[in-house]
């Protein structure tokens, strides 16, 4: 049972480039989340999804888009990367009526 | 909006001793959930313990226990018999109850715990 996995683990981008981060979970969870972690600021919610085909904005959604075409996958896209998006990105999932979120191992993104 | 405050950026403890990490939160809700997550150098976020606000009994998981003071909006984590593997960043987190359509976690800024051999 892999739990929550994230691809890639590390990526370097140049300003203006685009990329997609993939999150996959094998626990049949309804809820999925994307957070970013910056030094001294804890984790902040970017976007989330309460089910297949649904997405919603979190605290810091600007510059990101998401899609949830399949229940097990949640994609985070950066259309035009900026240095301010240098961060560690975490995906999490949770089941319906389950209070606990389970996190992936994180993706470290460096935008030059 | 809910806020979570961890006022201790860093803490250290001698191996085998006990340490308490502090967390306070602000909410107008009466029912909610509180969590402590551990983040070791591997960066993996690991759930340590959780507490339901409607439960008066403090949660315990082996060497980890909490002191939940609902009226004071305080949720501290006590680690007994500290081990080298406990060295990590610890995050306190709050979650609203079901039914609001946004069951996100609100995190504190973390406390870095160092274990002294």
């Amino acid at each position: 049972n892999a739990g929550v996995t994230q691809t890639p683990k590390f990526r370097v981008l140049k300003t203006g480039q685009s990329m997609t981060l993939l999150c996959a979970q094998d626990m049949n969870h309804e809820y999925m989340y994307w957070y970013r972690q910056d030094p001294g600021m804890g984790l902040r919610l970017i976007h989330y999804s309460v089910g297949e085909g649904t997405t919603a904005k979190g605290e810091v959604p600007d510059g990101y888009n998401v899609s949830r075409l399949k229940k097990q996958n949640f994609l985070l896209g950066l259309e035009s990367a900026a240095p301010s998006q240098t961060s560690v990105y975490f995906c999490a999932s949770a089941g319906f009526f389950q209070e606990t979120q389970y996190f992936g191992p994180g993706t470290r993104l460096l935008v030059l | 909006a809910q806020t979570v405050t961890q006022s201790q950026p860093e803490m250290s403890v001698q191996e085998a001793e006990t340490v308490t990490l502090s967390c306070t939160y602000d909410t107008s809700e009466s029912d909610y959930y509180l969590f402590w997550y551990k983040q070791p150098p591997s960066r993996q976020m690991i759930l340590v313990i959780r507490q339901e606000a409607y439960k008066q009994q403090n949660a315990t998981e082996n060497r980890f226990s909490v002191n939940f003071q609902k009226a004071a909006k305080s949720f501290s984590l006590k680690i007994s018999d500290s081990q080298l593997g406990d060295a990590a960043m610890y995050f306190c987190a709050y979650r609203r109850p079901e039914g609001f359509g946004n069951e996100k976690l609100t995190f504190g800024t973390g406390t870095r715990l160092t274990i002294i051999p």
Side-chain angles (χ1 to χ4, degrees):
Chain A
N1 190 340
V4 181
T5 58
Q6 292 182 231
T7 308
K9 289 184 171 52
F10 175 65
R11 184 77 181 269
V12 179
L13 287 180
K14 293 182 179 178
T15 297
Q17 287 185 318
S18 64
M19 78 163 294
T20 299
L21 281 66
L22 170 64
C23 175
Q25 52 92 6
D26 62 3
M27 297 174 282
N28 201 35
H29 283 169
E30 285 77 13
Y31 301 144
M32 297 187 74
Y33 308 84
W34 276 107
Y35 294 88
R36 61 177 287 173
Q37 183 180 26
D38 301 297
M41 299 188 73
L43 280 75
R44 293 179 294 167
L45 183 67
I46 305 171
H47 285 282
Y48 65 100
S49 168
V50 299
E52 182 179 328
T54 71
T55 63
K57 294 180 180 180
E59 300 173 68
V60 289
D62 294 343
Y64 305 94
N65 57 74
V66 288
S67 64
R68 183 111 180 259
L69 300 179
K70 294 182 179 180
K71 186 177 183 179
Q72 64 268 34
N73 295 337
F74 195 31
L75 305 179
L76 178 70
L78 287 74
E79 291 185 349
S80 180
S84 61
Q85 294 178 304
T86 293
S87 189
V88 180
Y89 292 86
F90 286 94
C91 177
S93 71
F96 194 64
F97 286 130
Q98 291 183 8
E99 304 81 14
T100 301
Q101 292 185 16
Y102 297 89
F103 284 80
T107 294
R108 183 165 169 251
L109 178 65
L110 176 61
V111 182
L112 302 176
Chain B
Q2 292 78 23
T3 59
V4 178
T5 301
Q6 294 180 250
S7 59
Q8 306 155 315
E10 296 184 354
M11 292 279 288
S12 60
V13 62
Q14 205 81 28
E15 193 176 1
E17 296 296 309
T18 296
V19 64
T20 298
L21 308 183
S22 301
C23 173
T24 58
Y25 57 94
D26 185 30
T27 183
S28 59
E29 308 291 345
S30 60
D31 192 18
Y32 46 86
Y33 302 93
L34 296 165
F35 304 83
W36 279 99
Y37 278 89
K38 168 186 177 181
Q39 187 179 42
S42 67
R43 287 204 312 264
Q44 179 76 51
M45 293 289 287
I46 302 166
L47 178 68
V48 175
I49 200 165
R50 79 177 196 193
Q51 174 80 42
E52 292 88 345
Y54 65 86
K55 291 186 177 179
Q56 292 185 344
Q57 186 173 6
N58 289 326
T60 299
E61 289 288 341
N62 300 313
R63 297 182 294 107
F64 299 86
S65 61
V66 299
N67 183 6
F68 173 49
Q69 301 289 329
K70 191 173 183 179
K73 296 180 182 176
S74 171
F75 183 59
S76 60
L77 174 69
K78 185 172 84 171
I79 306 174
S80 304
D81 185 26
S82 298
Q83 300 175 0
L84 294 177
D86 295 334
M89 197 77 167
Y90 286 82
F91 291 96
C92 179
Y94 167 99
R95 208 211 79 168
R96 297 168 75 183
E98 294 284 346
F100 288 84
N102 182 10
E103 290 77 12
K104 74 179 183 73
L105 292 172
T106 298
F107 285 87
T109 52
T111 297
R112 183 173 302 282
L113 178 65
T114 301
I115 310 296
I116 303 168

